[in-house]
Amino acid sequence: MEFLRPASLADALAARAANPGAVPIAGGTDVMVELNFDHRRPESLLDLGRVPELHEHGTDGGRIRLGAAVPYTRIIAELGTQLPGLAMAARTVGSPQIRNRGSVGGNLGAASPAGDSHPALLAAEAEVEIASVRGTRVVAAKDFYVGVKRNVLAPDELITAVLLRPATGPQQFSKIGTRNAMVIAVAAFGLALHPAEQRVGTGVGSAAPTPRRALDAEEFLAAELDWESRRPVTDSVKRRFGDLVAAAASPIDDVRGSAAYRRHALGVMARRTLTWAWTEYCEGSAKCA
């Protein structure tokens, strides 16, 4: 197996173009597992660990530009206030060792329906920056996933960054698994409130061939929330929101859970995250008392 180790983004893109069959590796939290179990045996690996541009974050036109290889630990410590939903999701990833190595770019590249960052990215309406020697393009997260562990990347492209606007309202994330830690999600859900636009963002994980938004649930909730007076959300609205989130999924039965259980769990998580987010939004308002 050939091991390619570029020291700059330009070199990485050139290596990618010259070796389209090479498997990119940054933290290695997914790739090394596949190699160790002989599930994948590529001709070459493209190590991105020494590409500094991928390990940085900053601002770009009012948005946060998160380098593809910034580890989860740094997202939690350095961006938790600006990107609370993604930070919540990051805290549920594996163990401390995995969080020190794993990244959002790696999650996107693997494109597993159970990836922990996907629901938060979808709810926040993130965009994915993709580059090659031919140039750079930006794809909305909702359009990035095209099938089970498949994404829109061309053979000569690399994920370079994720673009997200800082949160302007409460964000929440919930995940259920067969135990409390170091577990692949049976189902996961992300929620973001955008009060200035009176909009709602959602993200459903591990309950369909690809991560997806619950668009009908978003429309329903945005119209039902009392954004101005911040009155409490009624139980009937919470139940309907949960039902619409569950209806947006198309889960399967597998060793981690049944399709029926996943739908039920999504409904529960949707109601709970809505309660938490709206309570946070209402803090300081007498209407919510």
Side-chain angles (χ1 to χ4, degrees), residues 15 28 71 74 95 113 121 135 141 144 156 160 176 190 227 267-268 273 275 280:
R74 288 183 57 201
S95 62
L121 295 177
F144 182 79
D156 65 340
T160 50
I176 190 166
W227 298 96
V268 173
T273 53
T275 300
E280 180 183 344

Side-chain angles (χ1 to χ4, degrees), residues 21-189:
V23 173
I25 180 171
T29 59
D30 285 324
V31 174
M32 290 307 300
V33 172
E34 293 181 341
L35 294 179
N36 288 339
F37 283 93
D38 208 25
H39 294 164
R40 181 187 291 195
R41 191 58 57 182
E43 294 182 1
S44 54
L45 290 176
L46 178 59
D47 178 25
L48 303 174
R50 289 191 174 183
V51 179
E53 296 94 328
L54 302 180
H55 292 79
E56 302 168 351
H57 65 79
T59 57
D60 179 4
R63 296 180 297 181
I64 294 171
R65 185 180 183 279
L66 178 66
V70 174
Y72 292 114
T73 300
R74 288 183 57 201
I75 294 173
I76 297 166
E78 300 169 20
L79 295 170
T81 300
Q82 296 166 285
L83 305 174
L86 185 57
M88 289 178 192
R91 291 188 185 96
T92 74
V93 174
S95 62
Q97 296 92 331
I98 296 297
R99 293 192 290 274
N100 285 337
R101 297 289 297 173
S103 65
V104 173
N107 228 196
L108 287 165
S112 167
D116 290 320
S117 71
H118 304 316
L121 295 177
L122 289 168
E125 299 181 345
E127 295 181 311
V128 185
E129 181 185 280
I130 299 168
S132 71
V133 293
R134 297 176 286 111
T136 301
R137 63 186 178 118
V138 175
V139 177
K142 65 182 178 63
D143 300 321
F144 182 79
Y145 318 100
V146 296
V148 178
K149 296 188 176 182
R150 292 171 49 230
N151 55 48
V152 299
L153 290 179
D156 65 340
E157 290 182 319
L158 291 173
I159 300 166
T160 50
V162 177
L163 305 171
L164 307 101
R165 295 199 176 277
T168 57
Q171 297 182 354
Q172 287 290 335
F173 174 82
S174 184
K175 165 183 170 181
I176 190 166
T178 53
R179 58 187 182 186
N180 287 333
M182 295 182 66
V183 64
I184 298 173
V186 173
F189 182 69

